[in-house]
Amino acid sequence: MKQSETLTNLQKYLKTNKLKGLAVTDITTINYLTGFTFVGEGDAFLLVNTKKTICFTKPLYLIDITKKCPFLTFVNSLNIQDLIKKVKNTKGYVFDPRKSNYINGTALKKAGFQEYDNICTSLREVKTESEIKKIKYACEISAKAFDLFKKNLKVGMTEKQSAKLLEDFMAKLGGEGLAFDTIMAFGENSANPHHNNSDRKLKQNEVVLVDFGCKYQGYCSDITRTFWFGKKPSKDFEFYFNAVKNAYTKAKKALKAGVSAYDVDKVARDYFETDYKASKYFIHTLGHNLGLDIHERPYLSTKDNSILKEGALTTIEPGLYF
């Protein structure tokens, strides 16, 4: 069995950047590189050089992973010092300080491994065809679940009950767990983008805000929907709903490889200010990359000048909160 495409890409990256190897200690990146699903943080380490990959893990994984990942060399240990001992000369070996806990990061740095900021995030930014298919499918599950949810939402249901209803539909349609905790906000609660679901009951003729997503084979979807529950939306709701929809459309057109994350955010922010004098009510970033994690870099933000890459998947989530 050939090794994963993602691991091959990493080895090419090491050669191109004249690096000897990389120590990987965060479980999400390890799952990404191996194609194997370790359950918990700290269940494995990887030491990758340009020719081979050593996987440090515990016995309960050895039988399964040997069958699925024969391209890995296994060591029965979860001691970071055992990883360090495998490298005779650490010059040219690196680790990502943003993806290492204090104990592992300190040990690697003391041993001579160099900090290489955001290397794990950078590797995961551009998606393979397989990854894109999984994320698209996760989005399809969530979108279908939302349609069913809207048809079954009733007056008197609480935010907590409504969130559970949506989550159950995602599970029935093939979702493999939540990408993040569902946000369900009725009426005045919709002014808080990170609202904690409550026992507040749904009334006729009011706003509903839902932020939700599921996972499929480890990959996340992320959808935000705002709608009017009732017969006829208020004029204010229609007015600002169209403003947000237009901002979304403009930002979507601006989203291209080679453009900075900052500039895409600015398109939506400037539109809100120029046409509605409402940019101060746009209180979060425009969007973010997503994949195995719900929030991946870069962020479409006024604080992020990263250049967007071909093959990355990015959310566009403008909003106005009054």
Side-chain angles (χ1 to χ4, degrees):
M1 183 184 295
K2 291 183 179 180
Q3 71 177 20
S4 63
E5 180 183 355
T6 51
L7 196 52
T8 299
N9 289 343
L10 169 57
Q11 290 174 325
K12 289 178 181 177
Y13 181 95
L14 293 174
K15 288 180 182 179
T16 301
N17 290 276
K18 298 180 180 179
L19 298 172
K20 287 186 178 179
L22 171 68
V24 187
T25 59
D26 79 287
I27 211 67
T28 303
T29 303
I30 292 168
N31 290 347
Y32 167 78
L33 291 170
T34 61
F36 185 85
T37 303
F38 290 96
V39 176
E41 197 66 49
D43 278 359
F45 302 142
L46 290 185
L47 181 64
V48 187
N49 63 31
T50 56
K51 294 182 180 179
K52 71 175 183 178
T53 301
I54 304 174
C55 179
F56 299 78
T57 189
K58 51 190 177 183
L60 67 89
Y61 286 114
L62 285 176
I63 294 175
D64 202 17
I65 198 173
T66 300
K67 293 178 181 177
K68 295 180 179 179
C69 305
F71 48 85
L72 299 175
T73 301
F74 300 100
V75 175
N76 180 12
S77 171
L78 282 175
N79 188 331
I80 195 68
Q81 294 299 331
D82 288 332
L83 181 151
I84 290 168
K85 289 175 185 176
K86 289 289 183 180
V87 182
K88 293 181 180 179
N89 180 1
T90 58
K91 185 177 181 180
Y93 278 82
V94 298
F95 73 101
D96 190 337
R98 291 180 180 267
K99 294 293 183 180
S100 300
N101 64 29
Y102 177 79
I103 293 173
N104 293 333
T106 300
L108 290 166
K109 191 171 183 178
K110 187 177 180 180
F113 285 70
Q114 298 296 306
E115 294 184 353
Y116 204 105
D117 204 18
N118 282 322
I119 183 172
C120 294
T121 303
S122 178
L123 290 169
R124 287 162 47 188
E125 187 175 341
V126 175
K127 309 307 183 199
T128 64
E129 287 186 15
S130 174
E131 287 182 291
I132 291 171
K133 287 180 181 178
K134 291 171 185 177
I135 295 170
K136 280 186 174 182
Y137 194 65
C139 290
E140 288 173 8
I141 290 170
S142 297
K144 290 176 182 177
F146 179 73
D147 289 341
L148 291 171
F149 159 77
K150 278 189 72 176
K151 291 176 183 177
N152 287 274
L153 187 62
K154 293 180 174 61
V155 171
M157 294 180 68
T158 67
E159 291 173 342
K160 291 178 181 177
Q161 290 169 337
S162 303
K164 181 67 165 54
L165 177 68
L166 175 56
E167 291 165 1
D168 286 347
F169 280 130
M170 286 193 286
K172 288 176 182 177
L173 290 168
E176 299 170 355
L178 300 178
F180 55 95
D181 291 338
T182 302
I183 297 171
M184 184 73 60
F186 299 158
E188 69 284 350
N189 291 339
S190 66
N192 179 5
H194 284 169
H195 170 65
N196 290 319
N197 301 342
S198 71
D199 292 319
R200 202 275 203 192
K201 294 181 179 180
L202 181 63
K203 302 171 186 175
Q204 191 72 20
N205 295 317
E206 65 177 359
V207 180
V208 176
L209 170 73
V210 194
D211 192 356
F212 63 103
C214 70
K215 286 189 175 184
Y216 177 72
Q217 294 187 11
Y219 286 84
C220 299
S221 61
D222 184 4
I223 298 177
T224 306
R225 291 286 181 266
T226 307
F227 63 94
W228 185 264
F229 183 83
K231 293 182 178 180
K232 186 173 176 57
S234 70
K235 290 182 179 179
D236 276 349
F237 178 82
E238 286 190 320
F239 182 76
Y240 287 112
F241 182 92
N242 287 327
V244 172
K245 187 175 181 181
N246 291 339
Y248 167 81
T249 302
K250 290 179 180 295
K252 184 180 177 183
K253 288 180 180 178
L255 187 71
K256 297 176 183 177
V259 174
S260 77
Y262 171 93
D263 285 337
V264 181
D265 179 280
K266 192 171 184 296
V267 167
R269 214 164 288 276
D270 286 352
Y271 171 73
F272 282 143
E273 185 59 28
T274 302
D275 288 47
Y276 294 89
K277 302 298 179 186
S279 63
K280 67 180 180 179
Y281 300 111
F282 182 22
I283 57 178
H284 54 66
T285 60
L286 178 65
H288 53 86
N289 276 17
L290 81 164
L292 287 167
D293 287 328
I294 189 60
H295 294 113
E296 296 188 353
R297 296 173 68 91
Y299 292 87
L300 302 183
S301 163
T302 54
K303 297 179 180 179
D304 196 334
N305 284 308
S306 301
I307 301 302
L308 303 177
K309 298 177 182 177
E310 188 76 30
L313 295 184
T314 305
T315 70
I316 303 175
E317 307 175 75
L320 295 173
Y321 302 85
F322 300 97

